[in-house]
Amino acid sequence: MFVRLKPSATTVAYESIIMWSNNKTSNWLSKLSDTDRNKIIDDARVSAPNMVQSFKTRQQILFNKKLEILRAKKEKKANKENKEYTQKVKLTGQLNELGGMWVTQQQIECYKVQIEDKPTYNVLFKEALITQLQFRKHVIKSKGPKELYQQSCKGKQYSIQQLESNLNEVIELNKQNENVAPVENKLQYLSLNEVNDNISKAKQALAYKLNMERKKITVSQQSYFLPKFIETPELLVGKTFQQKCKEEDSNEISWCSGKVLSIHKLNGKKTEYLVKYDIDENDEWQFPLLVDMSNGDLIITDL
């Protein structure tokens, strides 16, 4: 209720109002003589700043304590994460020395064969079993009761046979999740000539793409002149041009250069022009060039 009535009031103000109400201070003051009442009010007025300062000091102390607790928790969490990370790195390194994680009984037997002639066979094999179990527990979080990953129980160290049995049980419990098919090698090795050829083709494709984009921009810009040519078709005579051509077999697009010789037949936008192409100077052709220009298939190169 106080928060709604006095939303900007301080905590000290709320406490004062509550204490004034609960202790019925006004009734008590009304029963005092004028002299005593005035003295008490004056004393309260004088001590008020000290009380406010005391409250602020206490509030700051509580804030500092909370801040210290949060910092301690954060530091503890960071230390725990660093410790876990260091442990994972160490276990991964030890696992690599063993040739990787064992997921079958056959891999265990292969390792035993590798070290069977060494005088420290028992020590090496026990350390290997512990590494495999600890890696599964802390790094990949394998399933299984925690007792299977322990090195001892009730103060008694597990034997090598018990550790091996535990590892086999863990492998069996996680067999379905670890049955991953080998990744197919999809790397393709090319000769230097093939690499250079691929680079050349890529450059050609990129150059072709850039050229097509430039043509599109030019076509868009030349659409501004189309109404002028439709109104006065004779202006196109004598102009050089590039016309979009498509091969029937491959659908490959190319731009053929040519020159407008004369008007063959006047018909507004469908006016036919007599043209000659650079690649075929012996023949003359008739085309409605303004239609091609409106469709974006013609570029006038000497505007």
Side-chain angles (χ1 to χ4, degrees):
M1 182 179 69
F2 290 128
V3 176
R4 289 199 299 269
L5 294 175
K6 300 178 180 296
S8 301
T10 63
T11 306
V12 176
Y14 290 141
E15 288 182 353
S16 301
I17 294 172
I18 292 171
M19 290 180 64
W20 179 277
S21 176
N22 290 342
N23 294 336
K24 299 180 180 179
T25 308
S26 59
N27 293 336
W28 175 70
L29 287 173
S30 64
K31 295 177 182 179
L32 298 176
S33 64
D34 293 342
T35 304
D36 292 339
R37 186 187 311 111
N38 292 335
K39 183 177 183 304
I40 291 173
I41 292 174
D42 290 340
D43 290 343
R45 187 179 293 113
V46 171
S47 62
N50 293 332
M51 292 180 62
V52 172
Q53 184 60 42
S54 176
F55 172 80
K56 289 182 178 179
T57 302
R58 184 183 62 181
Q59 194 176 37
Q60 185 63 42
I61 292 172
L62 291 174
F63 175 79
N64 291 338
K65 285 183 178 180
K66 289 182 179 179
L67 188 62
E68 190 64 31
I69 292 172
L70 290 174
R71 286 174 178 170
K73 286 183 177 179
K74 186 176 181 180
E75 185 178 356
K76 184 178 179 181
K77 182 181 178 182
N79 291 337
K80 182 181 178 182
E81 290 176 350
N82 291 336
K83 184 178 179 181
E84 290 177 351
Y85 179 79
T86 303
Q87 184 184 34
K88 290 178 181 180
V89 172
K90 181 180 178 181
L91 288 171
T92 303
Q94 293 174 343
L95 196 76
N96 289 335
E97 293 177 0
L98 298 174
M101 187 177 72
W102 299 339
V103 294
T104 63
Q105 176 66 35
Q106 184 180 3
Q107 289 175 305
I108 299 176
E109 295 300 326
C110 287
Y111 181 76
K112 291 164 72 173
V113 171
Q114 291 176 16
I115 63 171
E116 62 182 356
D117 295 332
K118 296 185 178 181
T120 56
Y121 169 84
N122 289 335
V123 176
L124 291 174
F125 188 43
K126 185 174 183 178
E127 289 178 351
L129 291 170
I130 292 173
T131 298
Q132 292 286 337
L133 288 168
Q134 292 299 302
F135 181 84
R136 286 176 169 276
K137 177 182 178 181
H138 296 290
V139 180
I140 65 172
K141 310 292 183 183
S142 294
K143 296 185 297 183
K146 64 178 182 179
E147 292 79 8
L148 294 177
Y149 300 95
Q150 294 175 351
Q151 302 176 39
S152 62
C153 181
K154 296 180 180 180
K156 185 179 179 181
Q157 292 287 327
Y158 283 154
S159 64
I160 294 177
Q161 292 76 18
Q162 183 63 50
L163 290 172
E164 184 178 359
S165 175
N166 289 349
L167 179 58
N168 283 323
E169 189 173 345
V170 170
I171 291 174
E172 190 64 30
L173 286 172
N174 296 273
K175 186 176 182 180
Q176 186 175 359
N177 294 334
E178 295 169 2
N179 187 20
V180 181
V183 179
E184 182 182 354
N185 185 7
K186 295 185 178 181
L187 289 177
Q188 185 178 6
Y189 297 94
L190 302 175
S191 65
L192 183 59
N193 290 335
E194 289 175 320
V195 171
N196 292 333
D197 187 47
N198 288 342
I199 292 174
S200 178
K201 289 180 179 178
K203 287 182 178 179
Q204 291 176 4
L206 181 59
Y208 176 79
K209 184 177 180 180
L210 290 173
N211 186 43
M212 290 297 104
E213 291 299 322
R214 292 193 187 101
K215 297 291 186 187
K216 288 181 181 179
I217 295 173
T218 305
V219 167
S220 176
Q221 292 172 343
Q222 291 202 356
S223 61
Y224 172 78
F225 298 98
L226 181 60
K228 186 177 180 181
F229 286 124
I230 294 175
E231 183 180 354
T232 313
E234 294 82 2
L235 293 176
L236 204 57
V237 177
K239 300 290 185 182
T240 56
F241 63 86
Q242 287 185 336
Q243 190 175 27
K244 185 188 290 186
C245 303
K246 183 183 291 186
E247 299 290 340
E248 294 183 0
D249 298 335
S250 61
N251 287 331
E252 184 178 348
I253 295 175
S254 60
W255 290 81
C256 301
S257 300
K259 186 175 182 179
V260 182
L261 301 178
S262 62
I263 294 177
H264 177 68
K265 182 180 179 182
L266 273 173
N267 189 15
K269 183 178 179 180
K270 297 181 180 180
T271 296
E272 293 185 3
Y273 293 87
L274 194 65
V275 301
K276 181 180 289 187
Y277 293 100
D278 295 345
I279 59 174
D280 187 12
E281 295 183 353
N282 296 325
D283 294 326
E284 297 177 354
W285 304 79
Q286 298 91 32
F287 284 107
L289 298 182
L290 297 179
V291 175
D292 288 347
M293 190 175 181
S294 65
N295 293 334
D297 296 335
L298 187 81
I299 296 174
I300 307 301
T301 57
D302 57 349
L303 280 176

